[in-house]
Amino acid sequence: MARLFGTDGVRGLANRDVTAELALDLSVAAAHVLAEAGAFEGHRPRAVLGRDPRASGEFLAAAVTAGLLSAGVDVLDAGVLPTPAIAFLTADSDADLGVMLSASHNAMPDNGIKFFARGGHKLPDDVEDAIEARMREPWDRPTGARVGRLRTFEGGAERYVEHLLSALPHRLDGLRVVIDAAHGAASEVSPEAFRRAGADIVVIGGEPDGLNINDGYGSTHLDNLRKAVVEHGADLGVAHDGDADRCLAVDARGEVVDGDQIMAILSLAMRDHGTLAQDTLVTTVMSNLGMFQALEREGITVKQTAVGDRYVLEEMKASKLSLGGEQSGHVIALDHGTTGDGVLTGLLLASRVAETGRSLQDLASVMTRLPQVMINVKGVDKNRVDDHEDVQAEVRAVEAELAGTGRVLLRKSGTEPVVRVMVEADNEDRATEAAERLAAVVEKHLAL
């Protein structure tokens, strides 16, 4: 059977895949696993619960609450807040567990359940596996005063905003910023943080009704932000996704500034401030070659990981590094948070603009994005891609033709019989031709 937990918690169609029964069972099992691991020893356990505004979060929050309370865990309900806010509040309040209900950038009908351990860290795979294995088992239920109690987390949003402001190296006075909150979890806290940091703000996508999250707004739909930045004469725009763990940006011309460019800008800013640990950035193999070339010129080392922010975070912790992220806009500033934080990323980016007096366009020009072409080859034996001689011979041939001006990446899908062929080159036509050649070879030799 497929593993219930994905790379970012449990996610699927709400009330079909992610049901109230599942939410309750997962919560009970999580309480049991953590209790037996000693996480609750010597005190009454507490959990922080948050969600994004999608309608299904209401019944899922009730189910998670019921499961935890029935297992003897007190619940502090923080309401609608970003995922990184729940991670922060879990650590800041010394809670034993955090639970976030969100499907991030997915469309409204989906939802998901994500757990944080003490300190606001994502649960390791083995703990998630243990939770899945313990679901629906018989258990000794607490009674009387031993059942959990529910309380509202008073002042949670304010504590999170104050935390964000404390991380800023420079105020934003004089900047006009458009914020696209995706009708999501950051619709209140992101505008509040930018306003208190001194920015003149314009908000779009900031009126969640439970049904409109990510609908035409946010980091996966940038057209409205691009238009608004130009119309309002703003210095820049920032876009979050539904749970605000990512951020993409738009410069004053309405041009998109992606996660790679944001990481390049922040790497240089942190190096200049002496806060870029070991002068090293961590990112995934999917980041654009232009970013690697730019940071190499600047004397900054780039470490690469598999795709997924959890792998970026693991490398950051293991190597004691302070900045990492993904092209999609997940950026982790480990000195200030344990997970990607789109609001913090936007604030830090705007702070760099204000501090230097340079436009976002100018700052982003430190790197040149090379054309990147991706082709998904379906219906193939993905497990043979790394070892098949004919496929690897074609990879070597393309790499020789690119001769340092591009690169090739063949990546197996984690869940489907698909090989993703990615080619970067110094022009679009060259990248497309090479990607199509490689895709044809993969299909010919690995077809099921």
Side-chain angles (χ1 to χ4, degrees):
M1 293 181 62
R3 187 173 184 266
L4 182 61
F5 284 89
T7 58
D8 209 23
V10 177
R11 192 177 295 182
L13 183 60
N15 217 27
R16 186 80 56 80
D17 304 316
V18 181
T19 63
E21 294 87 348
L22 176 66
L24 190 147
D25 290 340
L26 276 171
S27 302
V28 170
H32 291 165
V33 168
L34 293 174
E36 291 181 8
F40 302 161
E41 192 170 344
H43 65 279
R44 188 177 176 93
R46 289 182 302 147
V48 175
L49 172 64
R51 63 182 180 88
D52 72 24
R54 62 189 82 211
S56 57
E58 296 168 4
F59 77 76
L60 289 173
V64 168
T65 299
L68 291 174
L69 297 181
S70 70
V73 179
D74 292 339
V75 174
L76 297 171
D77 187 352
V80 174
L81 280 177
T83 291
I86 299 307
F88 165 74
L89 292 172
T90 299
D92 192 55
S93 64
D94 200 27
D96 304 282
L97 177 66
V99 188
M100 180 66 189
L101 303 174
S102 175
S104 190
H105 58 281
N106 287 26
M108 183 277 295
D110 287 350
N111 215 326
I113 304 169
K114 182 188 302 186
F115 293 103
F116 293 103
R118 178 183 288 277
H121 300 282
K122 291 183 179 180
L123 297 181
D125 287 349
D126 60 334
V127 175
E128 290 180 339
D129 290 340
I131 291 170
E132 186 172 345
R134 297 287 298 275
M135 289 173 60
R136 291 179 291 279
E137 67 177 5
W139 55 291
D140 183 20
R141 298 168 184 268
T143 58
R146 293 171 55 226
V147 301
R149 303 297 299 274
L150 172 64
R151 300 196 305 277
T152 299
F153 197 132
E154 300 290 351
E158 174 63 19
R159 285 165 69 169
Y160 174 58
V161 169
E162 289 179 354
H163 158 69
L164 294 171
L165 296 174
S166 71
L168 273 190
H170 196 281
R171 285 184 55 82
L172 311 184
D173 301 280
L175 288 186
R176 172 170 287 186
V177 181
V178 179
I179 300 168
D180 182 351
H183 295 307
S187 293
E188 293 188 13
V189 293
S190 185
E192 179 67 10
F194 274 86
R195 187 180 296 113
R196 284 167 56 177
D200 172 21
I201 65 166
V202 176
V203 181
I204 65 173
E207 299 178 358
D209 61 11
L211 306 178
N212 60 358
I213 188 170
N214 299 320
D215 186 7
Y217 288 86
S219 60
T220 53
H221 305 279
L222 292 173
D223 284 348
N224 285 316
L225 179 60
R226 296 176 68 186
K227 293 175 186 174
V229 168
V230 174
E231 288 174 2
H232 291 278
D235 296 285
L236 70 152
V238 297
H240 307 307
D241 58 339
D243 68 337
D245 66 350
R246 69 172 71 179
C247 171
L248 293 180
V250 168
D251 67 23
R253 304 167 303 157
E255 295 298 319
V256 174
V257 177
D258 70 10
D260 287 338
Q261 292 167 296
I262 291 171
M263 287 188 288
I265 293 167
L266 296 186
S267 293
L268 296 177
M270 290 175 64
R271 182 201 62 186
D272 292 349
H273 292 143
T275 57
L276 184 65
Q278 302 175 48
D279 284 348
T280 299
L281 170 73
V282 182
T283 188
T284 76
V285 293
M286 292 304 295
S287 276
N288 194 276
L289 179 60
M291 186 191 73
F292 296 113
Q293 294 171 338
L295 292 183
E296 182 181 10
R297 290 193 300 269
E298 294 287 340
I300 292 175
T301 301
V302 181
K303 289 194 172 188
Q304 298 181 60
T305 73
V307 175
D309 62 330
R310 69 183 304 156
Y311 303 114
V312 171
L313 183 58
E314 286 172 5
E315 177 59 35
M316 292 175 69
K317 290 179 179 177
S319 300
K320 296 182 171 55
L321 301 173
S322 54
L323 184 66
E326 296 184 285
Q327 189 180 66
S328 60
H330 284 111
V331 177
I332 305 168
L334 203 52
D335 291 340
H336 305 294
T338 58
T339 188
D341 190 328
V343 183
L344 176 61
T345 300
L347 287 165
L348 291 173
L349 187 65
S351 177
R352 184 61 168 174
V353 172
E355 175 190 15
T356 61
R358 297 167 61 189
S359 69
L360 181 56
Q361 175 190 354
D362 186 29
L363 291 171
S365 69
V366 67
M367 66 166 278
T368 300
R369 284 184 292 189
L370 296 185
Q372 191 177 71
V373 176
M374 174 88 74
I375 298 176
N376 291 327
V377 186
K378 301 178 181 179
V380 294
D381 184 355
K382 62 184 180 182
N383 295 316
R384 297 168 59 207
V385 68
D386 294 331
D387 302 317
H388 196 286
E389 181 53 37
D390 291 328
V391 172
Q392 291 304 313
E394 190 65 24
V395 169
R396 290 191 294 272
V398 171
E399 288 176 334
E401 291 170 16
L402 295 175
T405 63
R407 65 180 179 132
V408 174
L409 179 65
L410 269 56
R411 190 166 63 89
K412 296 178 282 190
S413 166
T415 57
E416 304 172 281
V418 172
V419 171
R420 310 192 196 284
V421 177
M422 189 275 283
V423 176
E424 287 174 334
D426 50 8
N427 67 72
E428 186 94 29
D429 290 343
R430 197 175 184 193
T432 299
E433 188 274 333
E436 289 175 347
R437 274 174 51 197
L438 283 168
V441 170
V442 170
E443 186 172 27
K444 175 182 176 181
H445 293 290
L446 302 183
L448 293 172

